Amino acid sequence: MWQRCNTVSNLFRTRLAKEFDDRTARFHTSVVEDLRMFNEDVDGTMAHDIMLHEQGIMDAETLKKILGALQEIKEEWKNGELEIGAEYEDIHPFIEARVIEKIGLEAGGAMHTGRSRNDQVMVDMKMVTKKEMLAIAENVLNLVKTMCELADKHTETAMVYYTHGQPAMIGTFGHYLLAYVDQYMRDYQRIKQCYDRVNYNPLGATAIGGTNFRISRLRTSELLGFDYIQENSVDAVSSRDWAMEITSVLSILMANMSRMAADFVMWSGAEFQYITVADEYSSSSSIMPQKVNPSTLELIRGKSAEVFGTLQEIMTMVKGLPTGYYQDLQQTKIALWRAFDTTRTSVEVLNGAISTLTVNEDKMMAQVKGSFIFAVQLAETLAEDEALTFREAYKITAEVVKKLVSEDRTLEDLTAEEVQKVAKDLFGKDIKVSSSIAEKVSNPKKALNNLRSPGSPHPAEIGMAVENRLELRERYWKELDFLKIKLVIAADNLKNAIAKYTA
Ligand code: ARG
């Protein structure tokens, strides 16, 4: 893959007597991971040089030649005509060398005035990062929509809620889904807030301490779609807190998805059969012909580990690194790109798996029926209806449950007399229990409709919550649109400026 180019590969090893040998060159170069920001690098240079001209630092003729050469290079890249070998430390000298090859050192040599690779690589990375964050945010909102639509169909689908892996309380599948909708909404918010903090332009910091040239950092911000400048030049080239923040935010998103995936993997198993993952998201076995594995969802779990790893990688890279640029920081890109790719595809695939899964309501109901999850309902009903404290009602219920379990019966065939007898035995109290107590506490529909606390699985409340979340999602979608439009406007500004100076 790596071969010597005809272009001037050696722009700035002037101080050094010898070249890297091939192995060291391959070890040292970042060209492979840099390819992802090829277009951003060219755009960054164009914006920078236009600004140099407007500030009186570069003459019109030179700018015109540089912009022309850069446009050609972009075209060559698009057509797959460029071969970029490890003799280039990174993409930046490759492009500079290619410009010089096209228009000579006289004009091309002005291209890198008043900047350094240190601020250049940061602005490139941030441009790629902003696009990636918008794409992931959009995917998250798509997932939210899918989940809301599914939740809306299951506002009354009763299911067992578990704590400690044991049947705990009655819930609904719709309410369960909304629990994750709310988590994904917060994931969206975190991405958006993080985007706002990434949106600071580092270009113009140069290597670490600025430049004698009277550059305009606001102008390059405008042409490249940044809302602010990252003012302090040391901060601009040295800090990677933004990369740690993104990988944190993406790790949290992955953790949330992973946990939901874990439920679905379990619930698709033969012992539950609550859901069936669609064939197009399942795999089979090379030996066991009967197998239908929810492996896509297992991979959501597995890949979350990969994203957590990128956070660890960047944190470890930065910790103990003295202030300023060190080559260590070159590795940031690899971790970031991996975090973006893995997270983006995970959200997409999860969305696909959710939108195609089958919900087996009867299997959910089969677990609800005859389970003791209604014990809470009984205790609360007793505590409400009678002159009992909650703890007394709890103890009565516990005795009742013990008795039913030992007699291999369920709450459904509980009688009022039995409850009254336990109350008398335990506390010497005469209580009056309704003859319809069994039906009252263990009918799933009634139990759900009796829930009164805000945020409970009460079906009417879930219906309203779905509407509310969809509205909020709509607002977030518009917010994203606005951010995207701002980037389009910036790209337009750059295009117009290029047209003006190449005319
Ligand atoms: N390839 C480098 C990176 O990705 C670009 C900056 C190099 N700067 C330097 N002073 N060697 O970080």
Side-chain angles (χ1 to χ4, degrees):
M1 81 137 218
W2 99 272
Q3 60 169 61
R4 293 257 166 217
C5 263
N6 317 328
T7 44
V8 205
S9 68
N10 191 344
L11 285 176
F12 44 71
R13 288 181 69 87
T14 325
R15 172 75 176 74
L16 305 164
K18 286 186 176 169
E19 295 289 317
F20 281 142
D21 62 33
D22 287 358
R23 183 184 56 191
T24 311
R26 283 198 300 273
F27 173 77
H28 200 287
T29 187
S30 65
V31 284
V32 174
E33 57 269 26
D34 289 352
L35 296 182
R36 186 161 181 153
M37 44 187 215
F38 192 101
N39 286 324
E40 285 77 7
D41 194 75
V42 174
D43 287 350
T45 301
M46 285 175 155
H48 180 73
D49 288 358
I50 286 168
M51 176 276 292
L52 289 179
H53 168 66
E54 291 173 351
Q55 294 292 107
I57 301 163
M58 180 185 284
D59 66 71
E61 201 43 41
T62 304
L63 176 66
K64 189 174 175 178
K65 284 186 185 160
I66 292 175
L67 292 178
L70 287 170
Q71 279 176 317
E72 280 175 29
I73 292 169
K74 239 186 171 177
E75 208 48 36
E76 291 167 351
W77 169 243
K78 201 172 106 195
N79 298 334
E81 291 162 13
L82 295 176
E83 216 157 331
I84 312 166
E87 70 272 28
Y88 294 97
E89 269 187 40
D90 41 45
I91 198 75
H92 324 295
F94 172 82
I95 292 173
E96 189 179 343
R98 190 85 183 129
V99 168
I100 290 170
E101 192 180 55
K102 285 178 182 292
I103 61 173
L105 193 59
E106 196 69 20
M111 183 183 123
H112 201 61
T113 310
R115 73 168 181 186
S116 148
R117 279 183 299 161
N118 294 354
D119 56 341
Q120 190 180 354
V121 71
M122 288 294 286
V123 78
D124 293 357
M125 284 171 73
K126 284 190 157 192
M127 282 194 280
V128 172
T129 295
K130 283 169 60 183
K131 284 181 201 152
E132 294 290 348
M133 290 177 85
L134 292 182
I136 295 173
E138 193 175 306
N139 283 349
V140 170
L141 292 186
N142 285 336
L143 175 63
V144 162
K145 185 155 183 256
T146 302
M147 304 258 303
C148 281
E149 283 164 1
L150 189 60
D152 202 38
K153 288 187 199 137
H154 294 284
T155 55
E156 295 185 15
T157 305
M159 73 181 294
V160 172
Y161 278 172
Y162 302 84
T163 66
H164 307 270
Q166 305 299 318
M169 284 180 157
I170 183 144
T172 67
F173 190 54
H175 183 254
Y176 163 85
L177 290 170
L178 281 188
Y180 280 94
V181 164
D182 284 358
Q183 293 174 62
Y184 300 141
M185 287 292 204
R186 292 196 292 273
D187 284 312
Y188 168 82
Q189 292 162 5
R190 274 187 286 267
I191 295 171
K192 162 69 174 68
Q193 286 158 5
C194 185
Y195 182 94
D196 292 341
R197 272 188 287 279
V198 172
N199 206 3
Y200 286 71
N201 179 16
L203 191 62
T206 77
I208 187 166
T211 170
N212 286 354
F213 292 105
R214 196 174 291 281
I215 59 172
S216 165
R217 300 187 61 195
L218 282 177
R219 178 62 172 147
T220 53
S221 301
E222 180 186 35
L223 291 171
L224 298 173
F226 284 92
D227 278 1
Y228 321 93
I229 61 170
Q230 195 170 353
E231 193 179 306
N232 185 296
S233 63
V234 177
D235 172 44
V237 294
S238 209
S239 63
R240 293 294 183 278
D241 57 335
W242 58 276
M244 291 187 269
E245 188 178 359
I246 294 164
T247 43
S248 305
V249 163
L250 297 183
S251 292
I252 298 170
L253 166 61
M254 288 300 297
N256 287 340
M257 295 197 298
S258 177
R259 216 166 164 197
M260 188 175 88
D263 284 340
F264 287 169
V265 169
M266 185 166 66
W267 292 345
S268 71
E271 286 73 16
F272 283 93
Q273 295 180 48
Y274 286 0
I275 55 150
T276 311
V277 177
D279 281 1
E280 58 266 46
Y281 290 94
S282 303
S283 65
S284 195
S285 157
S286 62
I287 177 172
M288 299 165 283
Q290 83 282 11
K291 288 304 277 305
V292 180
N293 299 326
S295 46
T296 305
L297 296 175
E298 295 160 39
L299 275 175
I300 301 283
R301 259 187 343 212
K303 284 175 193 263
S304 65
E306 192 183 333
V307 177
F308 299 175
T310 64
L311 168 62
Q312 189 65 34
E313 220 173 304
I314 298 175
M315 302 267 289
T316 311
M317 209 152 10
V318 171
K319 178 202 169 293
L321 194 69
T323 305
Y325 180 84
Y326 287 85
Q327 206 70 43
D328 315 38
L329 294 171
Q330 176 166 286
Q331 300 296 112
T332 320
K333 261 174 274 167
I334 302 173
L336 263 186
W337 297 170
R338 209 166 66 233
F340 292 148
D341 288 339
T342 306
T343 310
R344 200 191 49 250
T345 50
S346 296
V347 185
E348 276 165 8
V349 169
L350 181 62
N351 188 11
I354 302 296
S355 58
T356 51
L357 61 78
T358 312
V359 181
N360 306 321
E361 304 171 27
D362 48 333
K363 299 284 183 189
M364 291 185 180
M365 185 54 96
Q367 291 303 316
V368 171
K369 287 277 192 191
S371 95
F372 283 94
I373 55 172
F374 300 108
V376 181
Q377 266 81 9
L378 175 58
E380 289 192 348
T381 306
L382 292 177
E384 208 174 37
D385 291 356
E386 307 299 333
L388 295 171
T389 64
F390 173 75
R391 190 55 64 212
E392 286 168 328
Y394 173 99
K395 286 179 184 289
I396 294 167
T397 305
E399 278 310 313
V400 166
V401 168
K402 263 194 252 174
K403 180 166 183 285
L404 291 172
V405 169
S406 72
E407 293 166 5
D408 211 13
R409 295 162 58 210
T410 70
L411 277 167
E412 279 166 31
D413 40 52
L414 177 68
T415 64
E417 293 69 34
E418 282 175 291
V419 182
Q420 286 164 184
K421 182 169 183 313
V422 173
K424 183 83 181 163
D425 291 351
L426 278 185
F427 303 114
K429 289 197 177 177
D430 289 311
I431 61 169
K432 181 89 195 75
V433 177
S434 146
S435 61
S436 60
I437 187 71
E439 163 72 1
K440 191 169 172 195
V441 300
S442 67
N443 177 308
K445 207 176 162 99
K446 282 189 183 157
L448 285 169
N449 282 316
N450 275 337
L451 293 166
R452 291 187 202 105
S453 58
S456 75
H458 191 299
E461 191 177 328
I462 308 169
M464 263 156 43
V466 169
E467 245 176 74
N468 167 288
R469 301 311 187 269
L470 282 172
E471 256 173 54
L472 188 61
R473 179 203 172 268
E474 210 52 45
R475 228 184 314 139
Y476 288 160
W477 192 261
K478 287 199 184 113
E479 183 175 77
L480 267 190
D481 266 347
F482 182 64
L483 295 178
K484 281 190 265 176
I485 287 167
K486 277 175 50 170
L487 292 185
V488 171
I489 291 172
D492 230 51
N493 284 339
L494 180 61
K495 213 174 98 193
N496 290 339
I498 295 165
K500 176 174 160 195
Y501 294 120
T502 49

